[in-house]
Amino acid sequence: MTALEDRYRGLVGKGHSTERLEFFSDAVFAIAMTLLVIDLKVPEDGHGSTWDVIVSQIPAFLAFTLSFWIIGVNWASHHRKFRLIREYNGRLITLNLGMLFLVALAPFPTSLLSVYSLETASVVLYAASVGGMSFMQWVLWTYAYRAGLVLEEVDEQMFRYISWNILPVPIVFFASIPIAFIDAHVAAYFWIVLWPFTIVMSKIQPKPKPKPKPKPTVSRESD
């Protein structure tokens, strides 16, 4: 890398405004949430009553509702974090793109889940997608804090509090993957554990690290 290239990367690779990064992220979230509804279709053959059509669309509607809620929660979490992240650099952008990749991918495992119901492959892919999305939120937040890209008001205790509240989603969905290889139905119902587990995790917050005590100063009196 030449000195000029190094200077160029230093100028454009970091900054104090995250607005464009946030606007781009919001667009990806919005498009992904909109694409979820594509699987809700009225059959063109016209066979059966309206109620038959509605009943046939229940799996697709449940998958749509679950994914819409999950993506919405991730958007809200992403929005809150970037209220605290004041700067960006190249690595933060890369991590954010990795998270957005999983957001944009979400309609595909959602479609598999609605079409193939609770088969092992569809449940595993869906759990991996949702768990990975939330895990990348944790990675993004951890890096931003460790790299000093957050507001000065965010201390170690605040960082640990936010990190702790991200963990229930990846823990529950990743834990459901090995269960799916035994019974996909049980794995899907296991996702319900997320609600009480989140409440329990919010009650059991990690204890803040004790601040080191200042060493006592010994004053020397002159003879």
Side-chain angles (χ1 to χ4, degrees), residues 78 82 92 95-96 99 136-144:
H78 186 271
F82 274 88
L92 184 75
L95 292 175
N96 191 66
M99 188 272 299
M136 284 303 298
Q137 290 261 21
W138 179 84
V139 173
L140 181 74
W141 170 245
T142 301
Y143 173 76

Side-chain angles (χ1 to χ4, degrees), residues 24-123:
F24 177 75
S25 300
D26 288 344
V28 174
F29 275 107
I31 293 172
M33 295 176 78
T34 304
L35 290 176
L36 292 174
V37 79
I38 291 178
D39 285 328
L40 296 176
K41 301 177 182 178
V42 177
E44 297 180 359
D45 54 20
H47 294 305
S49 65
T50 304
W51 285 112
D52 293 333
V53 172
I54 293 174
V55 170
S56 68
Q57 291 298 304
I58 287 179
F61 180 76
L62 291 176
F64 162 78
T65 303
L66 178 61
S67 293
F68 190 91
W69 176 76
I70 287 172
I71 295 177
V73 168
N74 272 275
W75 172 82
S77 177
H78 186 271
H79 172 71
R80 288 192 296 267
K81 288 175 184 60
F82 274 88
R83 297 280 291 179
L84 303 176
I85 298 174
R86 63 180 180 179
E87 300 177 23
Y88 72 90
N89 60 20
R91 184 164 295 182
L92 184 75
I93 292 176
T94 301
L95 292 175
N96 191 66
L97 286 173
M99 188 272 299
L100 293 178
F101 170 82
L102 294 172
V103 173
L105 182 67
F108 176 64
T110 301
S111 180
L112 284 178
L113 195 67
S114 63
V115 174
Y116 293 96
S117 189
L118 299 179
E119 293 187 10
T120 299
S122 60
V123 171

Side-chain angles (χ1 to χ4, degrees), residues 175-197:
S176 71
I177 292 176
I179 299 175
F181 286 102
I182 301 173
D183 192 318
H185 289 76
V186 174
Y189 287 120
F190 182 77
W191 298 338
I192 301 174
V193 173
L194 178 62
W195 178 63
F197 186 58

